[in-house]
Each structure stands twice: as structure tokens, then as C-alpha cells.
Amino acid sequence: MTIKPLADRVVLKPCELEETTKGGIILAASAQEKPQVAEVVAVGPGGTVDGKEVKMYVKVGDKVISSKYSGTEVKMDDINYNIVRQSDILAIVE
């Protein structure tokens, strides 16, 4: 099954979290922060959204930083995804 976003939405797959600190301490899942860096796995077509023309700047495969608690979390095939508006993406990581 695939996710095909509509309008200016983007599907993100969070990057893996580090489970140990630089000092070697292993973190429990509850102590880990929600990742902000994610990989773009699908991009909507853009177009007119709320009466304004929206051009999509991100593409599949980009690594991005999104707002910490933005979007809608979806779990498909045991993989967590986050669906956000392009405006919730703060930067592209190069």
C-alpha cells in the first residue's frame, strides 16, 4: 500500500533515532525526543491551496527538518509516517 498526498502535503519518514548518547548511555524509548529530521517519501502536486498558488520545493529523497509537533502521524506496514503541509517544513538538510 502506498500513500499519495494531496495538494501541498508531504509524506515524511522519520530518520532513525540514536539510542545511545555520546557518553555511551543507552536511552529508553520514552526518553528519546521525537525526531525532527525526516526523509521525504511522497510529495503532493501543489496547485491552488486556499486561493493561493503553491509551488512544491521539496522532492522525494530530500532530508528535511520539520516543525517538532506538526502534521498527522500514520502507521502503515509497521512504518511510522508523518503527513505535513509543505509550510511545516523548515529546511532541507544537505
Side-chain angles (χ1 to χ4, degrees):
M1 194 176 331
T2 60
I3 302 173
K4 184 176 180 182
L6 302 175
D8 67 335
R9 297 212 168 43
V10 179
V11 179
L12 304 176
K13 180 180 172 186
C15 292
E16 295 298 317
L17 293 172
E18 300 242 354
E19 294 181 3
T20 58
T21 65
K22 290 180 183 178
I25 298 172
I26 298 174
L27 297 174
S30 61
Q32 297 173 357
E33 286 189 24
K34 180 178 177 183
Q36 288 180 271
V37 177
E39 181 180 354
V40 176
V41 295
V43 178
T48 305
V49 177
D50 297 330
K52 298 177 184 174
E53 187 66 26
V54 176
K55 179 182 175 192
M56 301 305 284
Y57 294 102
V58 296
K59 60 186 180 306
V60 174
D62 283 348
K63 296 262 192 226
V64 297
I65 298 174
S66 64
S67 297
K68 198 163 194 168
Y69 296 104
S70 63
T72 302
E73 292 183 7
V74 177
K75 187 171 187 174
M76 293 185 70
D77 300 328
D78 293 328
I79 300 174
N80 291 322
Y81 296 100
N82 196 16
I83 302 174
V84 300
R85 288 186 175 268
Q86 180 175 251
S87 59
D88 291 330
I89 295 174
L90 306 174
I92 297 174
V93 179
E94 295 181 339

